[in-house]
């Protein structure tokens, strides 16, 4: 089994007020589940036949998705996750699906790019073609000094909080 790291919600605590069990995301274990979600939530593919959703991987290695404008912590019903980000499905004319894009973009959970193994585990259950890795991988660092959530760009490991500018660790612990 893969090395499992759980991520706890680290985002704005105001968002926790939106967490309700009935607003939890849809657990996806088959292509039929994706079709059900599309119908049930009135998703409309864009001009590229793509539908993007918010996703989390729950502690049972399941893909859980929600409308793309919903918060990861709401999708997860406040629980810890194994990964989180955005996922894009493409619906082909012959009613088959594949995943064109998937990222670990979640400032609510700040999952490592290494959480890909957990995502892969969940996607393999669905039997849907998917990319070899996150199509965009984000590196997050929570500043040890001021607590700001930093998204690392261009290998610049300095806290973006102007009043802090603490050095951030180049490697994840
Ligand atoms: Zn800082």
């Amino acid at each position: 089994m893969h090395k499992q790291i759980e991520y706890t919600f680290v985002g704005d605590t105001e968002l926790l007020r939106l967490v309700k069990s009935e607003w939890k995301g849809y657990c996806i274990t088959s292509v039929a589940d994706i079709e059900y979600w599309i119908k049930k939530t009135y998703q409309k593919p864009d001009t590229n036949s793509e539908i993007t959703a918010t996703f989390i991987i729950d502690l049972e290695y399941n893909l859980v998705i929600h409308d793309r404008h919903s918060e990861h912590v709401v999708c997860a019903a406040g629980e810890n996750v194994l990964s989180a980000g955005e996922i894009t499905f493409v619906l082909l004319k012959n009613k088959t699906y594949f995943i064109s894009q998937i990222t670990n973009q979640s400032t609510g959970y700040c999952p490592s790019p290494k959480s890909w193994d957990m995502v892969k585990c969940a996607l393999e259950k669905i039997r849907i073609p998917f990319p070899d890795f996150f199509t965009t991988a984000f590196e997050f660092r929570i500043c040890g000094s001021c607590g700001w959530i930093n998204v690392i760009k261009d290998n610049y490991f300095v806290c973006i909080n102007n009043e802090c500018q603490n050095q951030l660790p180049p490697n994840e612990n």
Side-chain angles (χ1 to χ4, degrees):
M1 206 61 208
H2 310 285
K3 190 174 149 221
Q4 177 184 317
I5 298 170
E6 284 184 27
Y7 297 93
T8 302
F9 179 67
V10 291
D12 187 348
T13 50
E14 281 286 294
L15 294 174
L16 292 173
R17 291 196 301 177
L18 299 172
V19 172
K20 290 195 170 67
S21 60
E22 62 266 35
W23 291 353
K24 192 177 186 248
Y26 290 70
C27 184
I28 305 294
T29 58
S30 67
V31 171
D33 288 339
I34 301 170
E35 288 172 333
Y36 176 81
W37 170 75
I38 289 172
K39 222 177 228 173
K40 190 92 181 163
T41 62
Y42 308 101
Q43 301 295 321
K44 292 267 174 292
D46 66 13
T47 47
N48 299 319
S49 305
E50 290 185 330
I51 298 171
T52 298
T54 288
F55 82 86
I56 62 105
I57 305 298
D58 73 13
L59 300 180
E60 275 75 54
Y61 301 88
N62 289 317
L63 177 73
V64 178
I65 63 173
H66 223 328
D67 189 89
R68 77 178 304 185
H69 302 295
S70 57
E71 295 291 339
H72 290 104
V73 71
V74 174
C75 186
E79 302 279 326
N80 287 357
V81 302
L82 300 178
S83 189
E86 289 208 314
I87 187 166
T88 302
F89 302 101
V90 179
L91 172 55
L92 298 174
K93 286 265 187 302
N94 61 359
K95 290 264 182 189
T96 60
Y97 290 82
F98 71 93
I99 295 166
S100 60
Q101 292 176 68
I102 184 159
T103 76
N104 64 327
Q105 186 167 21
S106 167
T107 51
Y109 285 102
C110 300
S112 162
K114 291 178 196 153
S115 68
W116 173 254
D117 285 348
M118 308 296 138
V119 175
K120 191 177 172 208
C121 201
L123 296 182
E124 278 172 347
K125 291 193 226 173
I126 304 171
R127 297 169 178 270
I128 185 172
F130 60 88
D132 294 333
F133 192 62
F134 289 119
T135 46
T136 308
F138 293 85
E139 288 272 357
F140 299 99
R141 293 290 183 279
I142 298 172
C143 177
S145 175
C146 75
W148 276 46
I149 295 166
N150 289 267
V151 183
I152 303 300
K153 289 192 187 92
D154 306 320
N155 282 319
Y156 184 69
F157 292 92
V158 175
C159 181
I160 49 155
N161 177 2
N162 270 332
E163 285 156 35
C164 176
Q165 301 193 4
N166 192 38
Q167 203 65 37
L168 300 168
N171 295 309
E172 294 178 296
N173 44 5

